[in-house]
Amino acid sequence: MNQNPPDLERIRSSGLVREVEFHTEIGSTNDRAAELARQPSLDCPFLVLAARQTAGRGRGSNRWWSAPGGLTFSLVLEARQSGLPVERWPQIALAAGAAVCEAIEQAIPNAAVGLKWPNDVYLSGKKASGILVEAPSTGTGRLLVGIGVNVNNSFANAPAELQPLATSMTDVARRPFDSTAVLLAILARFDVCLSNLVGNQRELFERWRTRCLLSGKRVRLSSGSRRVTGVCRGIDETGRLVLVTPEGTERHLSGTIDSFE
Ligand code: BTN
């Protein structure tokens, strides 16, 4: 496993973020990003990067398992200032997912990469990345975009229950990766995807439509107290998951995928 520390100078000079804060160990980069987001003078996009998280969080009750070699970071974004209406903020997770897909495709050209709506990236049929977008409760107009990517952390050493479910770039390509290069590729792609989002460009829709892993699959979705089963017809222009159910076609803006086959 390759555990080289990130090249902070390269990240700073990329111009893709305004500030970088690096931690060798932290509870959760999203928690730290939430603290920082309360500072009115924070220069955004602000990147919080950690070599290791001791309490990495996912959506709902999910936890994020991070071992040395994994890439874990959070971005504080000025979502309100970007001009993107609040009702479209859920699309930011998909934009981030599309960016992660593209960065992995760039690093592993023949990789089978797919976006599992709404916030996971799969590689060779297993989860390789998770995205957690949160709005700080203080209503600052900022958003926290937390991204975990399994880069150089091999799942050969992971807890047994995770091994059938998750993988890493190094497990699939059987070589180590330059984590800083992977991070910069994600940041660069995310920048493009966010511009597409704000400009309401069809290009972004194509980015997530073509990578939708659930298309054509039978999906069980939980949305609030509802359980819905249907065949997925992809992700629409507004980021909603389209499900054909016995009762008709439904479009879901949020929810959790319980299973797909
Ligand atoms: C999920 O799988 O439900 C989302 C996982 C998100 C994990 C990332 S790692 C960096 C950031 N900090 C966290 O505590 N979580 C996100």
PDB file of all heavy atoms in Angstrom, residues 17-50:
ATOM      1  N   VAL A  17      -8.490  24.987  -5.142  1.00  0.00           N
ATOM      2  CA  VAL A  17      -9.075  25.336  -3.837  1.00  0.00           C
ATOM      3  C   VAL A  17      -8.365  26.588  -3.316  1.00  0.00           C
ATOM      4  O   VAL A  17      -7.244  26.877  -3.721  1.00  0.00           O
ATOM      5  CB  VAL A  17      -8.945  24.183  -2.803  1.00  0.00           C
ATOM      6  CG1 VAL A  17      -9.842  23.015  -3.164  1.00  0.00           C
ATOM      7  CG2 VAL A  17      -7.507  23.720  -2.650  1.00  0.00           C
ATOM      8  N   ARG A  18      -9.039  27.305  -2.403  1.00  0.00           N
ATOM      9  CA  ARG A  18      -8.431  28.537  -1.879  1.00  0.00           C
ATOM     10  C   ARG A  18      -7.504  28.239  -0.710  1.00  0.00           C
ATOM     11  O   ARG A  18      -6.502  28.892  -0.514  1.00  0.00           O
ATOM     12  CB  ARG A  18      -9.530  29.518  -1.428  1.00  0.00           C
ATOM     13  CG  ARG A  18     -10.462  29.927  -2.561  1.00  0.00           C
ATOM     14  CD  ARG A  18      -9.738  30.705  -3.657  1.00  0.00           C
ATOM     15  NE  ARG A  18      -9.465  32.078  -3.259  1.00  0.00           N
ATOM     16  CZ  ARG A  18     -10.273  33.096  -3.497  1.00  0.00           C
ATOM     17  NH1 ARG A  18     -11.405  32.888  -4.154  1.00  0.00           N
ATOM     18  NH2 ARG A  18      -9.964  34.302  -3.102  1.00  0.00           N
ATOM     19  N   GLU A  19      -7.883  27.225   0.096  1.00  0.00           N
ATOM     20  CA  GLU A  19      -7.090  26.878   1.278  1.00  0.00           C
ATOM     21  C   GLU A  19      -7.116  25.369   1.471  1.00  0.00           C
ATOM     22  O   GLU A  19      -8.089  24.710   1.084  1.00  0.00           O
ATOM     23  CB  GLU A  19      -7.710  27.500   2.545  1.00  0.00           C
ATOM     24  CG  GLU A  19      -7.519  28.996   2.667  1.00  0.00           C
ATOM     25  CD  GLU A  19      -6.099  29.394   3.022  1.00  0.00           C
ATOM     26  OE1 GLU A  19      -5.309  28.516   3.437  1.00  0.00           O
ATOM     27  OE2 GLU A  19      -5.782  30.580   2.865  1.00  0.00           O
ATOM     28  N   VAL A  20      -6.055  24.861   2.103  1.00  0.00           N
ATOM     29  CA  VAL A  20      -5.989  23.425   2.419  1.00  0.00           C
ATOM     30  C   VAL A  20      -5.607  23.269   3.879  1.00  0.00           C
ATOM     31  O   VAL A  20      -4.696  23.945   4.356  1.00  0.00           O
ATOM     32  CB  VAL A  20      -4.881  22.706   1.602  1.00  0.00           C
ATOM     33  CG1 VAL A  20      -4.934  21.193   1.863  1.00  0.00           C
ATOM     34  CG2 VAL A  20      -4.983  23.004   0.134  1.00  0.00           C
ATOM     35  N   GLU A  21      -6.301  22.365   4.557  1.00  0.00           N
ATOM     36  CA  GLU A  21      -5.914  22.013   5.923  1.00  0.00           C
ATOM     37  C   GLU A  21      -5.714  20.500   5.925  1.00  0.00           C
ATOM     38  O   GLU A  21      -6.612  19.756   5.521  1.00  0.00           O
ATOM     39  CB  GLU A  21      -7.059  22.410   6.868  1.00  0.00           C
ATOM     40  CG  GLU A  21      -6.743  22.233   8.322  1.00  0.00           C
ATOM     41  CD  GLU A  21      -7.934  22.647   9.191  1.00  0.00           C
ATOM     42  OE1 GLU A  21      -8.055  23.835   9.515  1.00  0.00           O
ATOM     43  OE2 GLU A  21      -8.743  21.761   9.544  1.00  0.00           O
ATOM     44  N   PHE A  22      -4.531  20.074   6.370  1.00  0.00           N
ATOM     45  CA  PHE A  22      -4.237  18.636   6.348  1.00  0.00           C
ATOM     46  C   PHE A  22      -4.117  18.088   7.763  1.00  0.00           C
ATOM     47  O   PHE A  22      -3.482  18.709   8.625  1.00  0.00           O
ATOM     48  CB  PHE A  22      -2.934  18.372   5.574  1.00  0.00           C
ATOM     49  CG  PHE A  22      -2.496  16.936   5.644  1.00  0.00           C
ATOM     50  CD1 PHE A  22      -3.271  15.929   5.083  1.00  0.00           C
ATOM     51  CD2 PHE A  22      -1.324  16.572   6.304  1.00  0.00           C
ATOM     52  CE1 PHE A  22      -2.897  14.587   5.165  1.00  0.00           C
ATOM     53  CE2 PHE A  22      -0.934  15.227   6.387  1.00  0.00           C
ATOM     54  CZ  PHE A  22      -1.730  14.247   5.817  1.00  0.00           C
ATOM     55  N   HIS A  23      -4.710  16.936   8.002  1.00  0.00           N
ATOM     56  CA  HIS A  23      -4.632  16.259   9.304  1.00  0.00           C
ATOM     57  C   HIS A  23      -4.095  14.851   9.093  1.00  0.00           C
ATOM     58  O   HIS A  23      -4.603  14.135   8.226  1.00  0.00           O
ATOM     59  CB  HIS A  23      -6.024  16.142   9.935  1.00  0.00           C
ATOM     60  CG  HIS A  23      -6.673  17.473  10.169  1.00  0.00           C
ATOM     61  ND1 HIS A  23      -6.633  18.114  11.382  1.00  0.00           N
ATOM     62  CD2 HIS A  23      -7.359  18.295   9.332  1.00  0.00           C
ATOM     63  CE1 HIS A  23      -7.272  19.262  11.292  1.00  0.00           C
ATOM     64  NE2 HIS A  23      -7.721  19.406  10.058  1.00  0.00           N
ATOM     65  N   THR A  24      -3.099  14.455   9.888  1.00  0.00           N
ATOM     66  CA  THR A  24      -2.646  13.058   9.797  1.00  0.00           C
ATOM     67  C   THR A  24      -3.718  12.146  10.391  1.00  0.00           C
ATOM     68  O   THR A  24      -3.900  11.029   9.938  1.00  0.00           O
ATOM     69  CB  THR A  24      -1.306  12.845  10.532  1.00  0.00           C
ATOM     70  OG1 THR A  24      -1.423  13.442  11.809  1.00  0.00           O
ATOM     71  CG2 THR A  24      -0.147  13.451   9.777  1.00  0.00           C
ATOM     72  N   GLU A  25      -4.455  12.661  11.376  1.00  0.00           N
ATOM     73  CA  GLU A  25      -5.566  11.894  11.951  1.00  0.00           C
ATOM     74  C   GLU A  25      -6.636  12.858  12.450  1.00  0.00           C
ATOM     75  O   GLU A  25      -6.306  13.886  13.056  1.00  0.00           O
ATOM     76  CB  GLU A  25      -5.075  11.012  13.102  1.00  0.00           C
ATOM     77  CG  GLU A  25      -6.172  10.120  13.626  1.00  0.00           C
ATOM     78  CD  GLU A  25      -5.665   9.138  14.672  1.00  0.00           C
ATOM     79  OE1 GLU A  25      -4.826   8.290  14.316  1.00  0.00           O
ATOM     80  OE2 GLU A  25      -6.109   9.236  15.822  1.00  0.00           O
ATOM     81  N   ILE A  26      -7.886  12.517  12.180  1.00  0.00           N
ATOM     82  CA  ILE A  26      -9.007  13.365  12.608  1.00  0.00           C
ATOM     83  C   ILE A  26     -10.220  12.454  12.767  1.00  0.00           C
ATOM     84  O   ILE A  26     -10.229  11.348  12.208  1.00  0.00           O
ATOM     85  CB  ILE A  26      -9.257  14.479  11.546  1.00  0.00           C
ATOM     86  CG1 ILE A  26     -10.117  15.603  12.107  1.00  0.00           C
ATOM     87  CG2 ILE A  26      -9.874  13.913  10.276  1.00  0.00           C
ATOM     88  CD1 ILE A  26     -10.176  16.838  11.199  1.00  0.00           C
ATOM     89  N   GLY A  27     -11.246  12.927  13.510  1.00  0.00           N
ATOM     90  CA  GLY A  27     -12.473  12.129  13.599  1.00  0.00           C
ATOM     91  C   GLY A  27     -13.105  12.014  12.224  1.00  0.00           C
ATOM     92  O   GLY A  27     -13.102  10.952  11.597  1.00  0.00           O
ATOM     93  N   SER A  28     -13.618  13.148  11.745  1.00  0.00           N
ATOM     94  CA  SER A  28     -14.280  13.171  10.438  1.00  0.00           C
ATOM     95  C   SER A  28     -13.971  14.504   9.754  1.00  0.00           C
ATOM     96  O   SER A  28     -14.127  15.563  10.380  1.00  0.00           O
ATOM     97  CB  SER A  28     -15.788  13.022  10.642  1.00  0.00           C
ATOM     98  OG  SER A  28     -16.497  13.622   9.588  1.00  0.00           O
ATOM     99  N   THR A  29     -13.579  14.459   8.504  1.00  0.00           N
ATOM    100  CA  THR A  29     -13.290  15.719   7.798  1.00  0.00           C
ATOM    101  C   THR A  29     -14.576  16.531   7.623  1.00  0.00           C
ATOM    102  O   THR A  29     -14.534  17.760   7.583  1.00  0.00           O
ATOM    103  CB  THR A  29     -12.637  15.468   6.416  1.00  0.00           C
ATOM    104  OG1 THR A  29     -13.495  14.607   5.652  1.00  0.00           O
ATOM    105  CG2 THR A  29     -11.264  14.840   6.549  1.00  0.00           C
ATOM    106  N   ASN A  30     -15.741  15.856   7.541  1.00  0.00           N
ATOM    107  CA  ASN A  30     -16.993  16.623   7.425  1.00  0.00           C
ATOM    108  C   ASN A  30     -17.281  17.390   8.722  1.00  0.00           C
ATOM    109  O   ASN A  30     -17.792  18.513   8.679  1.00  0.00           O
ATOM    110  CB  ASN A  30     -18.168  15.699   7.096  1.00  0.00           C
ATOM    111  CG  ASN A  30     -18.498  15.714   5.610  1.00  0.00           C
ATOM    112  OD1 ASN A  30     -17.585  15.726   4.777  1.00  0.00           O
ATOM    113  ND2 ASN A  30     -19.773  15.707   5.265  1.00  0.00           N
ATOM    114  N   ASP A  31     -16.960  16.773   9.880  1.00  0.00           N
ATOM    115  CA  ASP A  31     -17.179  17.474  11.150  1.00  0.00           C
ATOM    116  C   ASP A  31     -16.276  18.709  11.231  1.00  0.00           C
ATOM    117  O   ASP A  31     -16.709  19.785  11.649  1.00  0.00           O
ATOM    118  CB  ASP A  31     -16.895  16.552  12.336  1.00  0.00           C
ATOM    119  CG  ASP A  31     -17.952  15.464  12.471  1.00  0.00           C
ATOM    120  OD1 ASP A  31     -19.010  15.573  11.816  1.00  0.00           O
ATOM    121  OD2 ASP A  31     -17.716  14.499  13.220  1.00  0.00           O
ATOM    122  N   ARG A  32     -15.024  18.537  10.821  1.00  0.00           N
ATOM    123  CA  ARG A  32     -14.091  19.678  10.837  1.00  0.00           C
ATOM    124  C   ARG A  32     -14.554  20.752   9.830  1.00  0.00           C
ATOM    125  O   ARG A  32     -14.518  21.946  10.133  1.00  0.00           O
ATOM    126  CB  ARG A  32     -12.671  19.186  10.491  1.00  0.00           C
ATOM    127  CG  ARG A  32     -11.637  20.273  10.359  1.00  0.00           C
ATOM    128  CD  ARG A  32     -11.410  21.032  11.657  1.00  0.00           C
ATOM    129  NE  ARG A  32     -10.520  22.155  11.473  1.00  0.00           N
ATOM    130  CZ  ARG A  32     -10.606  23.303  12.127  1.00  0.00           C
ATOM    131  NH1 ARG A  32     -11.538  23.498  13.058  1.00  0.00           N
ATOM    132  NH2 ARG A  32      -9.737  24.272  11.899  1.00  0.00           N
ATOM    133  N   ALA A  33     -15.024  20.302   8.675  1.00  0.00           N
ATOM    134  CA  ALA A  33     -15.504  21.260   7.665  1.00  0.00           C
ATOM    135  C   ALA A  33     -16.711  22.039   8.201  1.00  0.00           C
ATOM    136  O   ALA A  33     -16.843  23.240   7.945  1.00  0.00           O
ATOM    137  CB  ALA A  33     -15.867  20.520   6.375  1.00  0.00           C
ATOM    138  N   ALA A  34     -17.563  21.353   8.981  1.00  0.00           N
ATOM    139  CA  ALA A  34     -18.740  22.029   9.557  1.00  0.00           C
ATOM    140  C   ALA A  34     -18.304  23.116  10.539  1.00  0.00           C
ATOM    141  O   ALA A  34     -18.894  24.208  10.585  1.00  0.00           O
ATOM    142  CB  ALA A  34     -19.640  21.013  10.256  1.00  0.00           C
ATOM    143  N   GLU A  35     -17.252  22.832  11.328  1.00  0.00           N
ATOM    144  CA  GLU A  35     -16.715  23.851  12.262  1.00  0.00           C
ATOM    145  C   GLU A  35     -16.212  25.053  11.473  1.00  0.00           C
ATOM    146  O   GLU A  35     -16.512  26.199  11.786  1.00  0.00           O
ATOM    147  CB  GLU A  35     -15.506  23.280  13.006  1.00  0.00           C
ATOM    148  CG  GLU A  35     -15.803  22.469  14.237  1.00  0.00           C
ATOM    149  CD  GLU A  35     -14.520  21.821  14.772  1.00  0.00           C
ATOM    150  OE1 GLU A  35     -13.396  22.333  14.525  1.00  0.00           O
ATOM    151  OE2 GLU A  35     -14.670  20.783  15.404  1.00  0.00           O
ATOM    152  N   LEU A  36     -15.422  24.755  10.432  1.00  0.00           N
ATOM    153  CA  LEU A  36     -14.827  25.841   9.642  1.00  0.00           C
ATOM    154  C   LEU A  36     -15.894  26.675   8.933  1.00  0.00           C
ATOM    155  O   LEU A  36     -15.764  27.893   8.793  1.00  0.00           O
ATOM    156  CB  LEU A  36     -13.864  25.249   8.602  1.00  0.00           C
ATOM    157  CG  LEU A  36     -12.575  24.665   9.166  1.00  0.00           C
ATOM    158  CD1 LEU A  36     -11.891  23.766   8.143  1.00  0.00           C
ATOM    159  CD2 LEU A  36     -11.632  25.790   9.583  1.00  0.00           C
ATOM    160  N   ALA A  37     -16.962  25.997   8.492  1.00  0.00           N
ATOM    161  CA  ALA A  37     -18.002  26.684   7.717  1.00  0.00           C
ATOM    162  C   ALA A  37     -18.685  27.786   8.526  1.00  0.00           C
ATOM    163  O   ALA A  37     -19.308  28.689   7.962  1.00  0.00           O
ATOM    164  CB  ALA A  37     -19.026  25.681   7.214  1.00  0.00           C
ATOM    165  N   ARG A  38     -18.549  27.727   9.865  1.00  0.00           N
ATOM    166  CA  ARG A  38     -19.156  28.764  10.721  1.00  0.00           C
ATOM    167  C   ARG A  38     -18.349  30.049  10.703  1.00  0.00           C
ATOM    168  O   ARG A  38     -18.818  31.075  11.173  1.00  0.00           O
ATOM    169  CB  ARG A  38     -19.277  28.268  12.157  1.00  0.00           C
ATOM    170  CG  ARG A  38     -20.326  27.204  12.321  1.00  0.00           C
ATOM    171  CD  ARG A  38     -20.583  26.897  13.798  1.00  0.00           C
ATOM    172  NE  ARG A  38     -20.914  25.488  13.909  1.00  0.00           N
ATOM    173  CZ  ARG A  38     -20.153  24.557  14.480  1.00  0.00           C
ATOM    174  NH1 ARG A  38     -19.027  24.890  15.058  1.00  0.00           N
ATOM    175  NH2 ARG A  38     -20.544  23.310  14.511  1.00  0.00           N
ATOM    176  N   GLN A  39     -17.109  29.993  10.218  1.00  0.00           N
ATOM    177  CA  GLN A  39     -16.274  31.207  10.202  1.00  0.00           C
ATOM    178  C   GLN A  39     -16.660  32.064   8.997  1.00  0.00           C
ATOM    179  O   GLN A  39     -16.431  31.655   7.848  1.00  0.00           O
ATOM    180  CB  GLN A  39     -14.793  30.840  10.089  1.00  0.00           C
ATOM    181  CG  GLN A  39     -14.275  30.017  11.240  1.00  0.00           C
ATOM    182  CD  GLN A  39     -12.808  29.622  11.049  1.00  0.00           C
ATOM    183  OE1 GLN A  39     -12.122  30.098  10.157  1.00  0.00           O
ATOM    184  NE2 GLN A  39     -12.352  28.736  11.906  1.00  0.00           N
ATOM    185  N   PRO A  40     -17.215  33.254   9.241  1.00  0.00           N
ATOM    186  CA  PRO A  40     -17.692  34.062   8.106  1.00  0.00           C
ATOM    187  C   PRO A  40     -16.597  34.366   7.086  1.00  0.00           C
ATOM    188  O   PRO A  40     -16.874  34.458   5.896  1.00  0.00           O
ATOM    189  CB  PRO A  40     -18.200  35.348   8.769  1.00  0.00           C
ATOM    190  CG  PRO A  40     -18.428  34.991  10.193  1.00  0.00           C
ATOM    191  CD  PRO A  40     -17.474  33.888  10.538  1.00  0.00           C
ATOM    192  N   SER A  41     -15.340  34.522   7.570  1.00  0.00           N
ATOM    193  CA  SER A  41     -14.293  34.959   6.644  1.00  0.00           C
ATOM    194  C   SER A  41     -13.602  33.809   5.917  1.00  0.00           C
ATOM    195  O   SER A  41     -12.612  34.012   5.210  1.00  0.00           O
ATOM    196  CB  SER A  41     -13.239  35.768   7.410  1.00  0.00           C
ATOM    197  OG  SER A  41     -12.670  34.903   8.382  1.00  0.00           O
ATOM    198  N   LEU A  42     -14.122  32.592   6.070  1.00  0.00           N
ATOM    199  CA  LEU A  42     -13.458  31.433   5.449  1.00  0.00           C
ATOM    200  C   LEU A  42     -13.392  31.612   3.926  1.00  0.00           C
ATOM    201  O   LEU A  42     -14.378  31.979   3.287  1.00  0.00           O
ATOM    202  CB  LEU A  42     -14.242  30.152   5.771  1.00  0.00           C
ATOM    203  CG  LEU A  42     -13.494  28.857   5.479  1.00  0.00           C
ATOM    204  CD1 LEU A  42     -12.529  28.533   6.620  1.00  0.00           C
ATOM    205  CD2 LEU A  42     -14.484  27.690   5.306  1.00  0.00           C
ATOM    206  N   ASP A  43     -12.214  31.332   3.388  1.00  0.00           N
ATOM    207  CA  ASP A  43     -12.013  31.439   1.944  1.00  0.00           C
ATOM    208  C   ASP A  43     -12.395  30.105   1.292  1.00  0.00           C
ATOM    209  O   ASP A  43     -11.760  29.094   1.557  1.00  0.00           O
ATOM    210  CB  ASP A  43     -10.508  31.692   1.695  1.00  0.00           C
ATOM    211  CG  ASP A  43     -10.284  32.913   0.870  1.00  0.00           C
ATOM    212  OD1 ASP A  43     -11.273  33.482   0.369  1.00  0.00           O
ATOM    213  OD2 ASP A  43      -9.102  33.301   0.719  1.00  0.00           O
ATOM    214  N   CYS A  44     -13.432  30.110   0.473  1.00  0.00           N
ATOM    215  CA  CYS A  44     -13.921  28.852  -0.122  1.00  0.00           C
ATOM    216  C   CYS A  44     -13.626  28.823  -1.622  1.00  0.00           C
ATOM    217  O   CYS A  44     -13.575  29.879  -2.238  1.00  0.00           O
ATOM    218  CB  CYS A  44     -15.418  28.709   0.091  1.00  0.00           C
ATOM    219  SG  CYS A  44     -15.882  28.638   1.827  1.00  0.00           S
ATOM    220  N   PRO A  45     -13.486  27.667  -2.224  1.00  0.00           N
ATOM    221  CA  PRO A  45     -13.562  26.347  -1.643  1.00  0.00           C
ATOM    222  C   PRO A  45     -12.392  26.045  -0.713  1.00  0.00           C
ATOM    223  O   PRO A  45     -11.240  26.271  -1.057  1.00  0.00           O
ATOM    224  CB  PRO A  45     -13.523  25.392  -2.853  1.00  0.00           C
ATOM    225  CG  PRO A  45     -13.325  26.207  -4.070  1.00  0.00           C
ATOM    226  CD  PRO A  45     -13.257  27.637  -3.695  1.00  0.00           C
ATOM    227  N   PHE A  46     -12.748  25.556   0.480  1.00  0.00           N
ATOM    228  CA  PHE A  46     -11.755  25.210   1.497  1.00  0.00           C
ATOM    229  C   PHE A  46     -11.689  23.684   1.564  1.00  0.00           C
ATOM    230  O   PHE A  46     -12.715  23.008   1.675  1.00  0.00           O
ATOM    231  CB  PHE A  46     -12.189  25.791   2.847  1.00  0.00           C
ATOM    232  CG  PHE A  46     -11.115  25.730   3.901  1.00  0.00           C
ATOM    233  CD1 PHE A  46     -10.452  26.880   4.306  1.00  0.00           C
ATOM    234  CD2 PHE A  46     -10.771  24.516   4.495  1.00  0.00           C
ATOM    235  CE1 PHE A  46      -9.452  26.829   5.281  1.00  0.00           C
ATOM    236  CE2 PHE A  46      -9.775  24.455   5.468  1.00  0.00           C
ATOM    237  CZ  PHE A  46      -9.112  25.612   5.858  1.00  0.00           C
ATOM    238  N   LEU A  47     -10.468  23.153   1.505  1.00  0.00           N
ATOM    239  CA  LEU A  47     -10.288  21.703   1.509  1.00  0.00           C
ATOM    240  C   LEU A  47      -9.764  21.209   2.855  1.00  0.00           C
ATOM    241  O   LEU A  47      -8.749  21.712   3.341  1.00  0.00           O
ATOM    242  CB  LEU A  47      -9.292  21.319   0.407  1.00  0.00           C
ATOM    243  CG  LEU A  47      -8.853  19.856   0.333  1.00  0.00           C
ATOM    244  CD1 LEU A  47     -10.004  18.949  -0.097  1.00  0.00           C
ATOM    245  CD2 LEU A  47      -7.687  19.697  -0.644  1.00  0.00           C
ATOM    246  N   VAL A  48     -10.478  20.262   3.452  1.00  0.00           N
ATOM    247  CA  VAL A  48      -9.979  19.573   4.653  1.00  0.00           C
ATOM    248  C   VAL A  48      -9.626  18.152   4.221  1.00  0.00           C
ATOM    249  O   VAL A  48     -10.482  17.411   3.731  1.00  0.00           O
ATOM    250  CB  VAL A  48     -11.057  19.514   5.763  1.00  0.00           C
ATOM    251  CG1 VAL A  48     -10.486  18.844   7.005  1.00  0.00           C
ATOM    252  CG2 VAL A  48     -11.589  20.895   6.086  1.00  0.00           C
ATOM    253  N   LEU A  49      -8.356  17.819   4.404  1.00  0.00           N
ATOM    254  CA  LEU A  49      -7.853  16.542   3.911  1.00  0.00           C
ATOM    255  C   LEU A  49      -7.286  15.770   5.100  1.00  0.00           C
ATOM    256  O   LEU A  49      -6.636  16.367   5.966  1.00  0.00           O
ATOM    257  CB  LEU A  49      -6.751  16.870   2.895  1.00  0.00           C
ATOM    258  CG  LEU A  49      -5.988  15.768   2.191  1.00  0.00           C
ATOM    259  CD1 LEU A  49      -6.929  14.913   1.356  1.00  0.00           C
ATOM    260  CD2 LEU A  49      -4.917  16.407   1.285  1.00  0.00           C
ATOM    261  N   ALA A  50      -7.539  14.470   5.140  1.00  0.00           N
ATOM    262  CA  ALA A  50      -7.005  13.677   6.264  1.00  0.00           C
ATOM    263  C   ALA A  50      -6.380  12.384   5.765  1.00  0.00           C
ATOM    264  O   ALA A  50      -6.911  11.733   4.862  1.00  0.00           O
ATOM    265  CB  ALA A  50      -8.134  13.347   7.243  1.00  0.00           C
TER     266      ALA A  50
END
